[in-house]
Amino acid sequence: MKIEKIDLHGLNLEEARLRLEKNLAWCMKNQVDVLDINHGKGHHSERGFSVIKKEVRNTLQSHSKLKEMGYRIVYGESSLPVALTYDEGHTLVVKKGQENKYLGGSHQQQKNWEVFSDEARRKRKQDKKIRAQKQNRRSPRHR
């Protein structure tokens, strides 16, 4: 999976917009699977919210070529597997079909699956019940 990252921290709005457009064009041309746009949460903004974040998300929503090229916008705070290691300071541009894949190397993907997947959650619950049953059998009953 091809993943690219851009960091827009410390840029003014116009610089961020230009960098975003340039990187989007390059990523679409080179068939990048995931573009991680780190725009920040806005904690250091004088206005109290991330101006760049708002502009990035508006730009992406109105970017008609993204949909034509088969990309989807996934917010960092999303619960989709592709976004689990991110937060609201990130926005991802993801090739359709990749939204439900975990990011990272094979070890990280396995770890994410073990932590976040529904199947893994059910297995942990089942294992917990079995351990509790074993513990109850071992401990002497007070009568």
Side-chain angles (χ1 to χ4, degrees), residues 13-139:
L13 195 55
E14 188 58 32
E15 292 168 335
R17 192 178 299 131
L18 289 172
R19 186 173 290 175
L20 176 64
E21 288 294 335
K22 181 180 173 184
N23 280 276
L24 274 175
W26 186 89
C27 286
M28 287 187 287
K29 179 182 174 192
N30 291 288
Q31 303 273 322
V32 170
D33 295 315
V34 178
L35 173 62
D36 168 21
I37 305 164
N38 185 348
H39 43 63
K41 298 177 188 177
H43 292 305
H44 303 289
S45 174
E46 295 171 2
R47 299 177 188 177
F49 69 95
S50 179
V51 176
I52 292 177
K53 171 183 169 179
K54 183 176 180 181
E55 183 63 29
V56 163
R57 291 182 175 182
N58 286 340
T59 299
L60 293 174
Q61 291 293 337
S62 64
H63 201 289
S64 61
K65 199 166 185 183
L66 280 176
K67 291 177 185 164
E68 289 174 23
M69 297 288 291
Y71 285 94
R72 180 176 175 189
I73 301 157
V74 177
Y75 298 153
E77 59 271 20
S78 166
S79 61
L80 289 170
V82 74
L84 289 176
T85 56
Y86 296 99
D87 59 21
E88 66 271 12
H90 295 258
T91 300
L92 306 172
V93 177
V94 181
K95 193 80 163 162
K96 285 191 179 165
Q98 303 293 318
E99 310 94 332
N100 292 313
K101 292 188 178 178
Y102 296 103
L103 294 183
S106 60
H107 178 72
Q108 184 63 44
Q109 288 178 10
Q110 178 64 28
K111 184 177 176 183
N112 286 343
W113 180 85
E114 290 170 0
V115 172
F116 298 114
S117 75
D118 290 337
E119 186 179 336
R121 285 185 181 127
R122 283 191 294 274
K123 184 175 178 352
R124 283 195 306 272
K125 269 187 167 180
Q126 183 181 11
D127 290 346
K128 188 175 179 179
K129 281 182 184 178
I130 291 169
R131 283 193 307 274
Q133 289 171 350
K134 285 181 182 179
Q135 184 65 33
N136 287 339
R137 283 186 222 138
R138 282 190 213 144
S139 64

